[in-house]
mmCIF file of all heavy atoms in Angstrom:
data_model
loop_
_atom_site.group_PDB
_atom_site.id
_atom_site.type_symbol
_atom_site.label_atom_id
_atom_site.label_comp_id
_atom_site.label_asym_id
_atom_site.label_seq_id
_atom_site.Cartn_x
_atom_site.Cartn_y
_atom_site.Cartn_z
ATOM 1 N N GLU A 1464 23.697 -52.980 1.309
ATOM 2 C CA GLU A 1464 23.846 -53.934 2.368
ATOM 3 C C GLU A 1464 22.839 -53.830 3.469
ATOM 4 O O GLU A 1464 22.226 -52.753 3.630
ATOM 5 C CB GLU A 1464 25.239 -53.796 2.965
ATOM 6 C CG GLU A 1464 26.292 -53.995 1.904
ATOM 7 C CD GLU A 1464 27.808 -53.619 2.573
ATOM 8 O OE1 GLU A 1464 27.839 -53.222 3.661
ATOM 9 O OE2 GLU A 1464 28.751 -53.711 1.799
ATOM 10 N N THR A 1465 22.515 -54.947 4.245
ATOM 11 C CA THR A 1465 21.547 -54.820 5.244
ATOM 12 C C THR A 1465 22.297 -54.892 6.649
ATOM 13 O O THR A 1465 22.309 -55.895 7.439
ATOM 14 C CB THR A 1465 20.562 -56.165 5.131
ATOM 15 O OG1 THR A 1465 21.312 -57.324 5.028
ATOM 16 C CG2 THR A 1465 19.686 -56.043 3.908
ATOM 17 N N GLU A 1466 22.991 -53.887 6.891
ATOM 18 C CA GLU A 1466 23.793 -53.784 8.138
ATOM 19 C C GLU A 1466 24.155 -52.339 8.382
ATOM 20 O O GLU A 1466 23.971 -51.496 7.391
ATOM 21 C CB GLU A 1466 25.017 -54.658 8.076
ATOM 22 C CG GLU A 1466 26.120 -54.169 7.021
ATOM 23 C CD GLU A 1466 27.295 -55.013 7.004
ATOM 24 O OE1 GLU A 1466 27.420 -56.115 7.685
ATOM 25 O OE2 GLU A 1466 28.180 -54.667 6.237
ATOM 26 N N TYR A 1467 24.650 -52.056 9.491
ATOM 27 C CA TYR A 1467 25.090 -50.661 9.884
ATOM 28 C C TYR A 1467 26.447 -50.438 9.160
ATOM 29 O O TYR A 1467 27.380 -51.316 9.250
ATOM 30 C CB TYR A 1467 25.360 -50.585 11.288
ATOM 31 C CG TYR A 1467 26.099 -49.243 11.748
ATOM 32 C CD1 TYR A 1467 25.261 -48.028 11.962
ATOM 33 C CD2 TYR A 1467 27.437 -49.194 11.950
ATOM 34 C CE1 TYR A 1467 25.982 -46.963 12.288
ATOM 35 C CE2 TYR A 1467 28.095 -47.929 12.364
ATOM 36 C CZ TYR A 1467 27.227 -46.830 12.542
ATOM 37 O OH TYR A 1467 27.857 -45.640 12.861
ATOM 38 N N ARG A 1468 26.618 -49.429 8.477
ATOM 39 C CA ARG A 1468 27.868 -48.846 7.916
ATOM 40 C C ARG A 1468 28.019 -47.384 8.412
ATOM 41 O O ARG A 1468 27.184 -46.599 8.109
ATOM 42 C CB ARG A 1468 27.797 -48.864 6.452
ATOM 43 C CG ARG A 1468 27.743 -50.308 5.763
ATOM 44 C CD ARG A 1468 29.189 -51.095 5.853
ATOM 45 N NE ARG A 1468 30.262 -50.409 5.268
ATOM 46 C CZ ARG A 1468 30.663 -50.479 4.011
ATOM 47 N NH1 ARG A 1468 29.941 -51.218 3.176
ATOM 48 N NH2 ARG A 1468 31.624 -49.692 3.490
ATOM 49 N N GLY A 1469 29.143 -47.254 9.129
ATOM 50 C CA GLY A 1469 29.222 -45.973 9.733
ATOM 51 C C GLY A 1469 29.679 -44.772 8.904
ATOM 52 O O GLY A 1469 29.970 -45.070 7.676
ATOM 53 N N PRO A 1470 29.832 -43.587 9.462
ATOM 54 C CA PRO A 1470 30.241 -42.433 8.710
ATOM 55 C C PRO A 1470 31.579 -42.819 8.036
ATOM 56 O O PRO A 1470 32.494 -43.347 8.519
ATOM 57 C CB PRO A 1470 30.463 -41.285 9.748
ATOM 58 C CG PRO A 1470 29.356 -41.795 10.785
ATOM 59 C CD PRO A 1470 29.410 -43.244 10.758
ATOM 60 N N CYS A 1471 31.642 -42.242 6.810
ATOM 61 C CA CYS A 1471 32.889 -42.422 5.966
ATOM 62 C C CYS A 1471 32.902 -41.384 4.932
ATOM 63 O O CYS A 1471 32.825 -41.634 3.739
ATOM 64 C CB CYS A 1471 32.821 -43.882 5.337
ATOM 65 S SG CYS A 1471 34.475 -44.459 4.718
ATOM 66 N N ALA A 1472 33.066 -40.070 5.470
ATOM 67 C CA ALA A 1472 32.930 -39.024 4.572
ATOM 68 C C ALA A 1472 34.139 -38.913 3.598
ATOM 69 O O ALA A 1472 35.241 -39.314 3.902
ATOM 70 C CB ALA A 1472 32.846 -37.795 5.436
ATOM 71 N N PRO A 1473 33.902 -38.465 2.314
ATOM 72 C CA PRO A 1473 34.963 -38.231 1.390
ATOM 73 C C PRO A 1473 35.799 -37.016 1.926
ATOM 74 O O PRO A 1473 35.286 -36.211 2.727
ATOM 75 C CB PRO A 1473 34.315 -37.932 0.050
ATOM 76 C CG PRO A 1473 32.986 -37.303 0.518
ATOM 77 C CD PRO A 1473 32.636 -38.032 1.822
ATOM 78 N N PRO A 1474 36.951 -36.783 1.323
ATOM 79 C CA PRO A 1474 37.774 -35.628 1.651
ATOM 80 C C PRO A 1474 36.981 -34.406 1.497
ATOM 81 O O PRO A 1474 36.170 -34.171 0.547
ATOM 82 C CB PRO A 1474 39.020 -35.726 0.795
ATOM 83 C CG PRO A 1474 39.077 -37.157 0.410
ATOM 84 C CD PRO A 1474 37.641 -37.649 0.312
ATOM 85 N N GLY A 1475 37.348 -33.420 2.375
ATOM 86 C CA GLY A 1475 36.549 -32.054 2.373
ATOM 87 C C GLY A 1475 35.855 -31.700 3.664
ATOM 88 O O GLY A 1475 36.314 -32.267 4.666
ATOM 89 N N PRO A 1476 34.942 -30.850 3.594
ATOM 90 C CA PRO A 1476 34.347 -30.474 4.862
ATOM 91 C C PRO A 1476 33.639 -31.601 5.502
ATOM 92 O O PRO A 1476 33.209 -32.498 4.921
ATOM 93 C CB PRO A 1476 33.386 -29.391 4.405
ATOM 94 C CG PRO A 1476 33.463 -29.090 3.006
ATOM 95 C CD PRO A 1476 34.341 -30.285 2.426
ATOM 96 N N ALA A 1477 33.432 -31.385 6.929
ATOM 97 C CA ALA A 1477 32.646 -32.375 7.631
ATOM 98 C C ALA A 1477 31.318 -32.611 7.186
ATOM 99 O O ALA A 1477 30.698 -31.719 6.647
ATOM 100 C CB ALA A 1477 32.767 -31.980 9.133
ATOM 101 N N HIS A 1478 30.763 -33.767 7.266
ATOM 102 C CA HIS A 1478 29.444 -34.158 6.898
ATOM 103 C C HIS A 1478 28.556 -34.309 8.229
ATOM 104 O O HIS A 1478 29.126 -34.693 9.204
ATOM 105 C CB HIS A 1478 29.373 -35.445 6.089
ATOM 106 C CG HIS A 1478 29.853 -35.362 4.705
ATOM 107 N ND1 HIS A 1478 29.289 -36.082 3.724
ATOM 108 C CD2 HIS A 1478 30.766 -34.518 4.143
ATOM 109 C CE1 HIS A 1478 29.795 -35.781 2.615
ATOM 110 N NE2 HIS A 1478 30.752 -34.815 2.785
ATOM 111 N N ARG A 1479 27.271 -33.976 8.161
ATOM 112 C CA ARG A 1479 26.404 -34.222 9.230
ATOM 113 C C ARG A 1479 25.852 -35.684 9.071
ATOM 114 O O ARG A 1479 25.607 -36.079 7.971
ATOM 115 C CB ARG A 1479 25.208 -33.357 9.167
ATOM 116 C CG ARG A 1479 25.649 -31.743 9.469
ATOM 117 C CD ARG A 1479 24.498 -30.972 9.168
ATOM 118 N NE ARG A 1479 24.297 -30.996 7.709
ATOM 119 C CZ ARG A 1479 23.121 -30.770 7.019
ATOM 120 N NH1 ARG A 1479 22.010 -30.566 7.858
ATOM 121 N NH2 ARG A 1479 22.958 -30.830 5.820
ATOM 122 N N TYR A 1480 25.774 -36.357 10.230
ATOM 123 C CA TYR A 1480 25.158 -37.791 10.268
ATOM 124 C C TYR A 1480 24.088 -37.657 11.182
ATOM 125 O O TYR A 1480 24.222 -37.261 12.293
ATOM 126 C CB TYR A 1480 26.169 -38.786 10.603
ATOM 127 C CG TYR A 1480 27.247 -38.913 9.553
ATOM 128 C CD1 TYR A 1480 28.337 -38.009 9.466
ATOM 129 C CD2 TYR A 1480 27.055 -39.810 8.488
ATOM 130 C CE1 TYR A 1480 29.324 -38.192 8.458
ATOM 131 C CE2 TYR A 1480 27.975 -39.936 7.428
ATOM 132 C CZ TYR A 1480 29.016 -39.116 7.478
ATOM 133 O OH TYR A 1480 29.932 -39.199 6.294
ATOM 134 N N ILE A 1481 22.852 -38.062 10.694
ATOM 135 C CA ILE A 1481 21.631 -37.892 11.599
ATOM 136 C C ILE A 1481 21.137 -39.264 11.930
ATOM 137 O O ILE A 1481 20.708 -40.071 11.058
ATOM 138 C CB ILE A 1481 20.606 -37.084 10.725
ATOM 139 C CG1 ILE A 1481 21.275 -35.768 10.420
ATOM 140 C CG2 ILE A 1481 19.362 -36.888 11.618
ATOM 141 C CD1 ILE A 1481 20.353 -34.972 9.373
ATOM 142 N N TRP A 1482 21.034 -39.557 13.210
ATOM 143 C CA TRP A 1482 20.377 -40.706 13.743
ATOM 144 C C TRP A 1482 18.951 -40.400 14.125
ATOM 145 O O TRP A 1482 18.773 -39.497 14.966
ATOM 146 C CB TRP A 1482 21.101 -41.251 15.097
ATOM 147 C CG TRP A 1482 22.341 -41.946 14.860
ATOM 148 C CD1 TRP A 1482 22.437 -43.407 15.011
ATOM 149 C CD2 TRP A 1482 23.642 -41.557 14.472
ATOM 150 N NE1 TRP A 1482 23.739 -43.675 14.770
ATOM 151 C CE2 TRP A 1482 24.465 -42.697 14.370
ATOM 152 C CE3 TRP A 1482 24.197 -40.198 14.232
ATOM 153 C CZ2 TRP A 1482 25.808 -42.589 14.034
ATOM 154 C CZ3 TRP A 1482 25.495 -40.171 13.906
ATOM 155 C CH2 TRP A 1482 26.236 -41.317 13.820
ATOM 156 N N THR A 1483 18.028 -40.896 13.386
ATOM 157 C CA THR A 1483 16.603 -40.607 13.496
ATOM 158 C C THR A 1483 15.777 -41.881 14.073
ATOM 159 O O THR A 1483 16.082 -42.947 13.565
ATOM 160 C CB THR A 1483 16.094 -40.196 12.138
ATOM 161 O OG1 THR A 1483 16.722 -39.079 11.729
ATOM 162 C CG2 THR A 1483 14.513 -39.750 12.296
ATOM 163 N N VAL A 1484 14.991 -41.613 14.985
ATOM 164 C CA VAL A 1484 14.063 -42.589 15.488
ATOM 165 C C VAL A 1484 12.687 -42.036 15.249
ATOM 166 O O VAL A 1484 12.223 -40.987 15.538
ATOM 167 C CB VAL A 1484 14.227 -42.858 17.018
ATOM 168 C CG1 VAL A 1484 13.132 -43.719 17.540
ATOM 169 C CG2 VAL A 1484 15.651 -43.257 17.411
ATOM 170 N N GLU A 1485 11.891 -42.940 14.514
ATOM 171 C CA GLU A 1485 10.475 -42.591 14.196
ATOM 172 C C GLU A 1485 9.515 -43.628 14.714
ATOM 173 O O GLU A 1485 9.834 -44.874 14.676
ATOM 174 C CB GLU A 1485 10.338 -42.618 12.630
ATOM 175 C CG GLU A 1485 11.088 -41.524 11.993
ATOM 176 C CD GLU A 1485 10.886 -41.518 10.492
ATOM 177 O OE1 GLU A 1485 11.147 -42.710 9.889
ATOM 178 O OE2 GLU A 1485 10.678 -40.527 9.821
ATOM 179 N N ALA A 1486 8.449 -43.154 15.203
ATOM 180 C CA ALA A 1486 7.388 -44.186 15.798
ATOM 181 C C ALA A 1486 6.327 -44.077 14.603
ATOM 182 O O ALA A 1486 5.983 -43.132 14.124
ATOM 183 C CB ALA A 1486 6.851 -43.478 17.110
ATOM 184 N N LEU A 1487 5.933 -45.275 14.286
ATOM 185 C CA LEU A 1487 5.023 -45.544 13.261
ATOM 186 C C LEU A 1487 3.672 -46.139 13.794
ATOM 187 O O LEU A 1487 3.668 -46.932 14.719
ATOM 188 C CB LEU A 1487 5.475 -46.533 12.278
ATOM 189 C CG LEU A 1487 6.870 -46.126 11.626
ATOM 190 C CD1 LEU A 1487 7.355 -47.151 10.623
ATOM 191 C CD2 LEU A 1487 6.848 -44.823 10.930
ATOM 192 N N SER A 1488 2.508 -45.729 13.190
ATOM 193 C CA SER A 1488 1.231 -46.193 13.594
ATOM 194 C C SER A 1488 1.074 -47.525 12.831
ATOM 195 O O SER A 1488 1.837 -47.947 11.933
ATOM 196 C CB SER A 1488 0.039 -45.339 13.214
ATOM 197 O OG SER A 1488 0.125 -45.123 11.770
ATOM 198 N N GLU A 1489 -0.138 -48.183 13.169
ATOM 199 C CA GLU A 1489 -0.398 -49.442 12.484
ATOM 200 C C GLU A 1489 -0.306 -49.363 10.969
ATOM 201 O O GLU A 1489 -0.050 -50.256 10.301
ATOM 202 C CB GLU A 1489 -1.831 -50.007 12.947
ATOM 203 C CG GLU A 1489 -1.833 -50.639 14.234
ATOM 204 C CD GLU A 1489 -1.172 -51.874 14.418
ATOM 205 O OE1 GLU A 1489 -0.960 -52.620 13.403
ATOM 206 O OE2 GLU A 1489 -0.774 -52.291 15.541
ATOM 207 N N ASP A 1490 -0.812 -48.270 10.358
ATOM 208 C CA ASP A 1490 -0.886 -47.943 8.974
ATOM 209 C C ASP A 1490 0.418 -47.456 8.407
ATOM 210 O O ASP A 1490 0.442 -47.002 7.240
ATOM 211 C CB ASP A 1490 -2.092 -47.107 8.503
ATOM 212 C CG ASP A 1490 -2.132 -45.752 9.150
ATOM 213 O OD1 ASP A 1490 -1.102 -45.497 9.894
ATOM 214 O OD2 ASP A 1490 -3.037 -45.001 8.873
ATOM 215 N N GLY A 1491 1.438 -47.341 9.155
ATOM 216 C CA GLY A 1491 2.759 -46.848 8.758
ATOM 217 C C GLY A 1491 2.969 -45.356 8.747
ATOM 218 O O GLY A 1491 4.070 -44.844 8.296
ATOM 219 N N GLU A 1492 2.094 -44.730 9.332
ATOM 220 C CA GLU A 1492 2.207 -43.225 9.432
ATOM 221 C C GLU A 1492 3.151 -42.827 10.526
ATOM 222 O O GLU A 1492 3.134 -43.373 11.665
ATOM 223 C CB GLU A 1492 0.715 -42.624 9.636
ATOM 224 C CG GLU A 1492 0.895 -41.081 9.771
ATOM 225 C CD GLU A 1492 -0.564 -40.489 10.038
ATOM 226 O OE1 GLU A 1492 -1.581 -41.160 9.805
ATOM 227 O OE2 GLU A 1492 -0.582 -39.412 10.690
#
Side-chain angles (χ1 to χ4, degrees):
E1464 300 170 357
T1465 55
E1466 64 182 3
Y1467 173 86
R1468 292 287 303 273
C1471 199
H1478 285 212
R1479 292 169 294 150
Y1480 292 87
I1481 304 171
W1482 278 258
T1483 302
V1484 177
E1485 294 175 311
L1487 306 175
S1488 65
E1489 284 289 342
D1490 61 1
E1492 180 182 335

